[in-house]
Protein backbone atom coordinates (compact mmCIF):
# COMPACT_ATOMS: atom_id res chain seq x y z
CA UNK A 1 0.00 0.00 0.00
CA UNK A 2 1.19 3.54 -0.70
CA UNK A 3 2.00 5.06 2.67
CA UNK A 4 4.04 7.97 3.98
CA UNK A 5 5.66 5.84 6.69
CA UNK A 6 8.39 3.33 5.76
CA UNK A 7 7.27 -0.30 5.86
CA UNK A 8 9.25 -3.50 6.57
CA UNK A 9 9.55 -6.12 3.86
CA UNK A 10 9.67 -9.87 4.37
CA UNK A 11 13.45 -10.10 3.97
CA UNK A 12 14.00 -7.48 6.66
CA UNK A 13 11.64 -9.24 9.05
CA UNK A 14 13.41 -12.55 8.47
CA UNK A 15 16.77 -10.97 9.28
CA UNK A 16 15.25 -9.30 12.35
CA UNK A 17 14.62 -12.73 13.89
CA UNK A 18 18.30 -12.79 14.84
CA UNK A 19 19.34 -11.37 18.22
CA UNK A 20 20.25 -7.69 18.20
CA UNK A 21 23.92 -6.89 17.76
CA UNK A 22 25.92 -4.60 20.01
CA UNK A 23 25.25 -0.90 19.67
CA UNK A 24 28.68 -0.44 18.14
CA UNK A 25 27.85 -2.88 15.35
CA UNK A 26 24.36 -1.48 14.78
CA UNK A 27 25.55 2.08 14.19
CA UNK A 28 28.55 1.22 12.00
CA UNK A 29 26.87 2.59 8.82
CA UNK A 30 26.59 6.03 10.46
CA UNK A 31 30.02 6.22 12.09
CA UNK A 32 33.04 7.27 10.09
CA UNK A 33 36.57 6.09 10.97
CA UNK A 34 37.83 7.76 14.14
CA UNK A 35 34.39 8.96 15.22
CA UNK A 36 32.86 8.30 18.63
CA UNK A 37 29.20 7.40 18.17
CA UNK A 38 26.13 6.73 20.28
CA UNK A 39 22.81 4.98 19.60
CA UNK A 40 19.95 7.08 20.99
CA UNK A 41 16.20 7.28 20.44
CA UNK A 42 15.61 10.61 18.68
CA UNK A 43 17.76 13.40 17.23
CA UNK A 44 15.66 15.94 19.14
CA UNK A 45 16.58 14.38 22.47
CA UNK A 46 20.21 13.99 21.47
CA UNK A 47 20.49 17.62 20.46
CA UNK A 48 19.01 18.68 23.80
CA UNK A 49 21.55 16.51 25.66
CA UNK A 50 24.44 18.00 23.67
CA UNK A 51 23.23 21.52 24.47
CA UNK A 52 22.99 20.59 28.16
CA UNK A 53 26.56 19.26 28.07
CA UNK A 54 27.81 22.49 26.49
CA UNK A 55 25.87 24.59 29.00
CA UNK A 56 27.30 22.69 31.95
CA UNK A 57 30.84 23.25 30.70
CA UNK A 58 30.18 26.95 30.05
CA UNK A 59 28.31 27.53 33.31
CA UNK A 60 25.43 29.22 31.46
CA UNK A 61 22.75 28.36 28.91
CA UNK A 62 24.36 27.89 25.50
CA UNK A 63 23.66 30.14 22.54
CA UNK A 64 22.36 28.03 19.65
CA UNK A 65 21.99 29.21 16.04
CA UNK A 66 19.96 27.28 13.50
CA UNK A 67 18.11 27.90 10.23
CA UNK A 68 14.67 29.48 10.44
CA UNK A 69 13.23 26.86 8.06
CA UNK A 70 13.08 24.12 10.67
CA UNK A 71 10.45 22.01 12.40
CA UNK A 72 9.24 23.74 15.57
CA UNK A 73 7.98 20.54 17.19
CA UNK A 74 11.40 18.90 16.95
CA UNK A 75 13.00 21.80 18.85
CA UNK A 76 10.88 21.48 21.98
CA UNK A 77 13.39 19.32 23.93
CA UNK A 78 16.11 21.85 23.07
CA UNK A 79 13.94 24.75 24.23
CA UNK A 80 13.33 23.00 27.53
CA UNK A 81 17.07 23.02 28.28
CA UNK A 82 16.95 26.82 28.54
CA UNK A 83 19.26 27.28 25.55
CA UNK A 84 19.00 30.62 23.76
CA UNK A 85 17.87 29.99 20.18
CA UNK A 86 18.67 32.30 17.27
CA UNK A 87 16.94 31.57 13.97
CA UNK A 88 19.04 32.51 10.95
CA UNK A 89 17.41 33.76 7.73
CA UNK A 90 17.30 31.29 4.85
CA UNK A 91 17.24 31.55 1.10
CA UNK A 92 13.73 31.26 -0.37
CA UNK A 93 15.29 29.25 -3.19
CA UNK A 94 16.27 26.12 -1.25
CA UNK A 95 16.20 26.85 2.49
CA UNK A 96 19.97 27.15 2.94
CA UNK A 97 21.21 29.61 5.57
CA UNK A 98 21.84 33.17 4.38
CA UNK A 99 25.42 33.36 5.60
CA UNK A 100 25.72 37.05 4.78
CA UNK A 101 23.43 37.73 7.75
CA UNK A 102 24.67 34.97 10.06
CA UNK A 103 27.88 36.79 11.03
CA UNK A 104 25.98 39.70 12.59
CA UNK A 105 23.82 37.34 14.64
CA UNK A 106 26.75 35.54 16.34
CA UNK A 107 28.78 34.42 18.15
CA UNK A 108 27.26 31.07 19.08
CA UNK A 109 28.15 28.09 21.23
CA UNK A 110 26.43 25.66 18.85
CA UNK A 111 25.89 26.33 15.17
CA UNK A 112 23.45 23.83 13.62
CA UNK A 113 23.30 23.20 9.89
CA UNK A 114 20.38 21.13 8.57
CA UNK A 115 20.55 18.87 5.52
CA UNK A 116 16.86 19.31 4.79
CA UNK A 117 15.19 16.35 3.03
CA UNK A 118 18.60 14.67 2.83
CA UNK A 119 20.06 17.24 0.42
CA UNK A 120 23.67 18.07 1.44
CA UNK A 121 24.29 21.77 1.97
CA UNK A 122 27.59 23.59 1.57
CA UNK A 123 29.35 23.51 4.94
CA UNK A 124 32.25 25.78 4.05
CA UNK A 125 30.54 29.03 5.22
CA UNK A 126 29.64 27.32 8.49
CA UNK A 127 33.20 26.12 8.97
CA UNK A 128 34.52 29.64 8.40
CA UNK A 129 32.07 31.07 10.93
CA UNK A 130 33.00 28.40 13.48
CA UNK A 131 36.71 29.14 12.93
CA UNK A 132 36.17 32.82 13.76
CA UNK A 133 33.93 32.37 16.80
CA UNK A 134 34.66 28.89 18.17
CA UNK A 135 31.84 26.73 19.49
CA UNK A 136 30.59 23.46 18.04
CA UNK A 137 29.47 22.96 14.47
CA UNK A 138 26.62 20.43 14.43
CA UNK A 139 25.04 18.80 11.39
CA UNK A 140 21.39 17.82 11.64
CA UNK A 141 21.31 14.94 9.17
CA UNK A 142 18.00 13.53 10.43
CA UNK A 143 16.76 13.32 6.82
CA UNK A 144 19.94 11.60 5.59
CA UNK A 145 19.86 7.82 5.23
CA UNK A 146 23.62 7.36 5.74
CA UNK A 147 26.82 9.39 5.29
CA UNK A 148 27.63 10.46 1.73
CA UNK A 149 30.05 13.10 0.37
CA UNK A 150 29.09 16.46 1.84
CA UNK A 151 27.70 14.97 5.06
CA UNK A 152 29.76 14.84 8.29
CA UNK A 153 32.35 16.91 6.47
CA UNK A 154 34.46 19.00 8.83
CA UNK A 155 31.85 19.41 11.58
CA UNK A 156 32.15 18.42 15.24
CA UNK A 157 28.97 16.37 15.58
CA UNK A 158 26.42 14.84 13.23
CA UNK A 159 22.97 13.53 14.14
CA UNK A 160 21.19 10.91 12.04
CA UNK A 161 17.65 9.60 12.48
CA UNK A 162 17.37 6.14 10.89
CA UNK A 163 13.86 5.81 12.36
CA UNK A 164 12.67 8.58 10.03
CA UNK A 165 13.75 6.75 6.87
CA UNK A 166 13.48 3.11 7.92
CA UNK A 167 10.73 1.03 9.56
CA UNK A 168 11.92 1.48 13.15
CA UNK A 169 9.90 2.57 16.21
CA UNK A 170 12.90 4.57 17.43
CA UNK A 171 16.60 4.87 16.70
CA UNK A 172 18.99 7.75 16.05
CA UNK A 173 22.76 8.18 16.03
CA UNK A 174 25.13 10.86 17.30
CA UNK A 175 28.56 10.71 15.66
CA UNK A 176 31.33 12.87 17.15
CA UNK A 177 34.26 13.68 14.87
CA UNK A 178 37.80 12.84 16.03
CA UNK A 179 38.43 16.40 17.19
CA UNK A 180 35.27 16.42 19.31
CA UNK A 181 35.32 12.98 20.92
CA UNK A 182 36.11 14.64 24.23
CA UNK A 183 32.43 15.61 24.38
CA UNK A 184 31.32 11.96 24.52
CA UNK A 185 31.51 11.65 28.31
CA UNK A 186 29.77 14.99 28.85
CA UNK A 187 27.04 13.97 26.41
CA UNK A 188 26.53 10.65 28.21
CA UNK A 189 26.17 12.43 31.55
CA UNK A 190 23.71 14.96 30.15
CA UNK A 191 21.60 12.25 28.51
CA UNK A 192 21.65 10.07 31.63
CA UNK A 193 20.53 6.47 31.51
CA UNK A 194 17.12 6.44 29.82
CA UNK A 195 14.80 3.55 30.50
CA UNK A 196 14.58 0.86 27.83
CA UNK A 197 11.69 1.48 25.45
CA UNK A 198 9.19 -1.39 25.43
CA UNK A 199 8.85 -3.45 22.27
CA UNK A 200 6.09 -1.57 20.47
CA UNK A 201 4.01 -4.40 19.04
CA UNK A 202 1.15 -2.03 18.18
CA UNK A 203 3.54 -0.05 16.00
CA UNK A 204 4.77 -3.23 14.32
CA UNK A 205 1.24 -4.55 13.76
CA UNK A 206 0.21 -1.30 12.05
CA UNK A 207 3.21 -1.41 9.75
CA UNK A 208 2.61 -5.07 8.90
CA UNK A 209 -1.06 -4.40 8.19
CA UNK A 210 -0.15 -1.58 5.80
CA UNK A 211 2.62 -3.59 4.15
CA UNK A 212 0.22 -6.44 3.41
CA UNK A 213 -2.82 -4.37 2.36
CA UNK A 214 -3.40 -4.09 -1.43
CA UNK A 215 -3.31 -0.49 -2.58
CA UNK A 216 -6.81 -0.62 -4.06
CA UNK A 217 -8.11 -0.75 -0.46
CA UNK A 218 -6.29 2.47 0.52
CA UNK A 219 -9.29 4.76 -0.20
CA UNK A 220 -11.39 2.75 2.27
CA UNK A 221 -8.99 3.22 5.20
CA UNK A 222 -8.75 6.23 7.57
CA UNK A 223 -6.49 8.89 6.10
CA UNK A 224 -3.58 10.23 8.10
CA UNK A 225 -2.13 13.70 7.97
CA UNK A 226 -3.56 17.20 8.13
CA UNK A 227 -6.75 17.87 6.16
CA UNK A 228 -5.60 21.23 4.76
CA UNK A 229 -2.23 22.43 3.51
CA UNK A 230 -2.10 25.57 5.63
CA UNK A 231 -2.61 23.71 8.93
CA UNK A 232 0.22 22.82 11.32
CA UNK A 233 0.11 19.91 13.76
CA UNK A 234 -0.69 20.88 17.35
CA UNK A 235 2.27 21.15 19.71
CA UNK A 236 2.55 18.19 22.06
CA UNK A 237 4.72 17.61 25.09
CA UNK A 238 7.82 15.70 23.97
CA UNK A 239 8.27 12.20 25.30
CA UNK A 240 11.07 11.48 27.72
CA UNK A 241 14.25 10.00 26.19
CA UNK A 242 14.38 6.22 26.06
CA UNK A 243 16.95 3.64 25.09
CA UNK A 244 15.97 1.94 21.80
CA UNK A 245 13.98 -1.23 22.37
CA UNK A 246 15.07 -4.73 21.45
CA UNK A 247 12.58 -4.60 18.57
CA UNK A 248 14.11 -1.37 17.25
CA UNK A 249 17.63 -2.77 17.56
CA UNK A 250 16.73 -6.04 15.80
CA UNK A 251 15.14 -4.12 12.93
CA UNK A 252 18.10 -1.75 12.73
CA UNK A 253 20.42 -4.73 12.51
CA UNK A 254 18.34 -6.10 9.63
CA UNK A 255 18.58 -2.96 7.49
CA UNK A 256 20.05 -3.10 4.00
CA UNK A 257 21.11 0.53 3.65
CA UNK A 258 22.36 0.24 0.06
CA UNK A 259 19.13 -1.39 -1.12
CA UNK A 260 17.01 1.25 0.62
CA UNK A 261 19.02 4.06 -0.98
CA UNK A 262 18.63 2.50 -4.42
CA UNK A 263 14.85 2.06 -4.07
CA UNK A 264 14.41 5.61 -2.81
CA UNK A 265 16.21 6.98 -5.86
CA UNK A 266 14.13 4.79 -8.19
CA UNK A 267 10.88 5.94 -6.61
CA UNK A 268 11.86 9.61 -6.71
CA UNK A 269 12.90 9.30 -10.36
CA UNK A 270 9.60 7.60 -11.24
CA UNK A 271 7.58 10.35 -9.57
CA UNK A 272 9.59 13.11 -11.21
CA UNK A 273 9.08 11.56 -14.64
CA UNK A 274 5.36 11.11 -14.03
CA UNK A 275 4.87 14.71 -12.91
CA UNK A 276 7.37 16.40 -15.25
CA UNK A 277 4.71 18.09 -17.39
CA UNK A 278 2.86 19.77 -14.54
CA UNK A 279 3.36 23.52 -15.03
CA UNK A 280 2.93 24.50 -11.38
CA UNK A 281 5.06 21.88 -9.58
CA UNK A 282 8.84 21.65 -9.96
CA UNK A 283 11.56 19.88 -7.94
CA UNK A 284 12.84 21.91 -5.02
CA UNK A 285 16.40 20.69 -5.59
CA UNK A 286 18.23 20.23 -8.91
CA UNK A 287 19.02 16.55 -8.30
CA UNK A 288 17.53 13.60 -6.50
CA UNK A 289 20.57 12.92 -4.33
CA UNK A 290 21.90 9.70 -2.82
CA UNK A 291 18.76 8.70 -0.91
CA UNK A 292 15.96 11.30 -0.78
CA UNK A 293 13.93 11.57 2.41
CA UNK A 294 10.87 12.69 0.46
CA UNK A 295 10.38 14.03 -3.05
CA UNK A 296 10.25 17.76 -2.36
CA UNK A 297 8.24 19.72 -4.92
CA UNK A 298 7.92 23.50 -5.15
CA UNK A 299 4.59 25.00 -6.24
CA UNK A 300 4.45 28.28 -8.14
CA UNK A 301 2.34 29.87 -5.41
CA UNK A 302 0.73 29.10 -2.04
CA UNK A 303 -2.61 28.82 -3.84
CA UNK A 304 -1.24 26.23 -6.25
CA UNK A 305 0.34 24.28 -3.37
CA UNK A 306 -2.93 24.21 -1.43
CA UNK A 307 -4.88 23.07 -4.51
CA UNK A 308 -2.44 20.26 -5.29
CA UNK A 309 -2.43 19.19 -1.64
CA UNK A 310 -6.23 19.07 -1.65
CA UNK A 311 -6.28 17.01 -4.85
CA UNK A 312 -3.98 14.41 -3.35
CA UNK A 313 -6.01 14.28 -0.16
CA UNK A 314 -9.17 13.66 -2.22
CA UNK A 315 -7.36 10.77 -3.90
CA UNK A 316 -6.44 9.45 -0.41
CA UNK A 317 -2.74 9.66 -1.33
CA UNK A 318 -0.03 10.59 1.20
CA UNK A 319 1.18 14.19 0.98
CA UNK A 320 2.82 16.49 3.51
CA UNK A 321 3.76 20.10 4.07
CA UNK A 322 6.87 20.80 6.11
CA UNK A 323 7.72 22.17 8.54
CA UNK A 324 5.63 23.80 11.25
CA UNK A 325 7.79 26.88 11.70
CA UNK A 326 8.81 28.21 15.14
CA UNK A 327 6.41 30.99 16.24
CA UNK A 328 9.29 33.47 16.51
CA UNK A 329 10.14 32.86 12.87
CA UNK A 330 6.58 33.41 11.69
CA UNK A 331 6.38 36.62 13.76
CA UNK A 332 9.51 38.14 12.18
CA UNK A 333 8.68 38.92 8.54
CA UNK A 334 11.85 40.99 8.07
CA UNK A 335 14.07 37.98 8.76
CA UNK A 336 11.80 35.05 7.98
CA UNK A 337 10.46 35.74 4.47
CA UNK A 338 12.39 32.84 2.96
CA UNK A 339 11.26 30.30 5.56
CA UNK A 340 7.62 31.40 5.37
CA UNK A 341 7.55 31.25 1.56
CA UNK A 342 9.00 27.73 1.59
CA UNK A 343 6.49 26.59 4.20
CA UNK A 344 3.63 27.73 1.96
CA UNK A 345 4.89 26.37 -1.38
CA UNK A 346 6.64 23.02 -0.70
CA UNK A 347 4.87 19.65 -0.97
CA UNK A 348 6.39 16.32 0.05
CA UNK A 349 5.62 12.95 -1.51
CA UNK A 350 6.74 9.53 -0.19
CA UNK A 351 9.61 7.63 -1.81
CA UNK A 352 10.55 5.03 0.83
CA UNK A 353 11.86 1.65 -0.22
CA UNK A 354 8.68 -0.38 0.33
CA UNK A 355 6.93 1.44 -2.51
CA UNK A 356 6.74 0.30 -6.13
CA UNK A 357 7.88 2.96 -8.63
CA UNK A 358 5.28 2.07 -11.26
CA UNK A 359 2.37 2.06 -8.80
CA UNK A 360 3.63 5.27 -7.26
CA UNK A 361 3.95 7.08 -10.58
CA UNK A 362 0.55 5.87 -11.80
CA UNK A 363 -1.33 6.91 -8.66
CA UNK A 364 0.14 10.42 -8.41
CA UNK A 365 -0.12 11.06 -12.14
CA UNK A 366 -3.82 10.22 -12.08
CA UNK A 367 -4.48 12.39 -9.03
CA UNK A 368 -2.66 15.45 -10.35
CA UNK A 369 -3.43 15.33 -14.09
Amino acid sequence: MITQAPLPDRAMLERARLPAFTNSSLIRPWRRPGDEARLIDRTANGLAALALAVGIRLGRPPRVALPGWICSQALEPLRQTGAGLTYLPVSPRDGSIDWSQAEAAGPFDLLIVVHTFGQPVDLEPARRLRARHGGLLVEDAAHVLAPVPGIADGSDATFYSPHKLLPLPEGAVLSLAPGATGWAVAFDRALGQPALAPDNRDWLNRRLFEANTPDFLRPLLPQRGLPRFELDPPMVEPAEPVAPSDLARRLLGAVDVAAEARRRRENAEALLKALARLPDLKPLFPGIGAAPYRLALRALSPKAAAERYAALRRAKLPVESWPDLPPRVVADPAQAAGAVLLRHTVLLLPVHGALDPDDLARAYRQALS
Side-chain angles (χ1 to χ4, degrees):
M1 186 171 76
I2 298 176
T3 65
Q4 196 71 274
L7 303 174
D9 60 21
R10 183 170 299 177
M12 182 180 183
L13 292 173
E14 285 295 325
R15 293 192 297 270
R17 293 174 181 268
L18 298 173
F21 298 103
T22 64
N23 285 1
S24 178
S25 298
L26 290 174
I27 61 180
R28 186 176 293 121
W30 295 275
R31 184 184 64 233
R32 290 191 166 179
D35 286 5
E36 182 83 12
R38 297 289 186 271
L39 177 64
I40 56 177
D41 64 339
R42 297 282 193 276
T43 286
N45 290 329
L47 185 57
L50 184 60
L52 277 174
V54 172
I56 290 170
R57 185 171 296 188
L58 293 173
R60 59 168 172 78
R63 298 163 297 185
V64 181
L66 59 171
W69 192 39
I70 196 166
C71 178
S72 184
Q73 190 98 228
L75 295 178
E76 193 58 23
L78 179 60
R79 294 189 188 100
Q80 293 185 4
T81 68
L85 306 188
T86 297
Y87 300 104
L88 301 176
V90 301
S91 164
R93 177 176 53 86
D94 60 5
S96 59
I97 292 173
D98 183 349
W99 294 106
S100 66
Q101 300 189 53
E103 181 74 37
F108 314 110
D109 304 306
L110 289 97
L111 174 59
I112 301 172
V113 177
V114 181
H115 300 290
T116 309
F117 310 141
Q119 186 78 7
V121 300
D122 182 10
L123 288 173
E124 183 56 32
R127 288 193 290 265
R128 290 197 297 265
L129 190 62
R130 187 265 310 270
R132 287 194 294 273
H133 296 297
L136 291 178
L137 174 56
V138 179
E139 293 178 63
D140 180 342
H143 292 172
V144 175
L145 178 61
V148 294
I151 305 293
D153 184 12
S155 62
D156 299 297
T158 305
F159 284 98
Y160 302 94
S161 286
H163 76 93
K164 288 181 176 288
L165 293 99
L166 301 165
L168 310 171
E170 62 270 336
V173 177
L174 164 64
S175 189
L176 293 165
T181 55
W183 284 99
V185 172
F187 175 84
D188 292 342
R189 289 174 179 167
L191 184 64
Q193 295 183 324
L196 183 69
D199 285 348
N200 193 336
R201 297 297 171 178
D202 288 341
W203 173 91
L204 181 60
N205 288 335
R206 288 196 302 272
R207 295 294 184 270
L208 292 176
F209 172 78
E210 292 172 334
N212 291 286
T213 299
D215 193 63
F216 71 82
L217 295 178
R218 171 175 37 83
L220 305 179
L221 300 176
Q223 190 172 15
R224 298 181 183 179
L226 298 170
R228 298 197 307 277
F229 177 71
E230 65 273 14
L231 296 178
D232 288 328
M235 289 293 293
V236 297
E237 187 68 18
E240 291 294 319
V242 294
S245 63
D246 181 65
L247 172 63
R249 296 173 70 252
R250 284 172 180 260
L251 290 169
L252 185 59
V255 166
D256 185 335
V257 173
E260 177 67 23
R262 182 179 64 254
R263 291 195 296 263
R264 283 177 173 269
R265 290 193 300 271
E266 291 172 351
N267 287 329
E269 289 168 356
L271 275 177
L272 280 178
K273 184 177 180 180
L275 305 180
R277 296 186 179 182
L278 296 179
D280 57 341
L281 282 180
K282 302 300 177 185
L284 178 62
F285 300 115
I288 288 175
Y293 172 68
R294 302 280 196 269
L295 177 62
L297 297 174
R298 181 74 173 272
L300 291 180
S301 68
K303 181 175 182 290
E307 289 173 348
R308 292 301 192 180
Y309 186 94
L312 292 174
R313 291 284 299 182
R314 287 194 298 271
K316 297 295 185 72
L317 283 167
V319 59
E320 293 174 311
S321 63
W322 191 90
D324 52 321
L325 298 176
R328 278 172 44 201
V329 171
V330 177
D332 187 2
Q335 296 293 313
V340 171
L341 180 60
L342 288 162
R343 163 62 185 88
H344 292 297
T345 54
V346 172
L347 297 174
L348 304 176
L349 308 185
V351 295
H352 61 78
L355 300 171
D356 178 82
D358 293 334
D359 293 344
L360 201 61
R362 185 183 309 109
Y364 281 88
R365 183 191 300 114
Q366 290 175 353
L368 294 175
S369 294

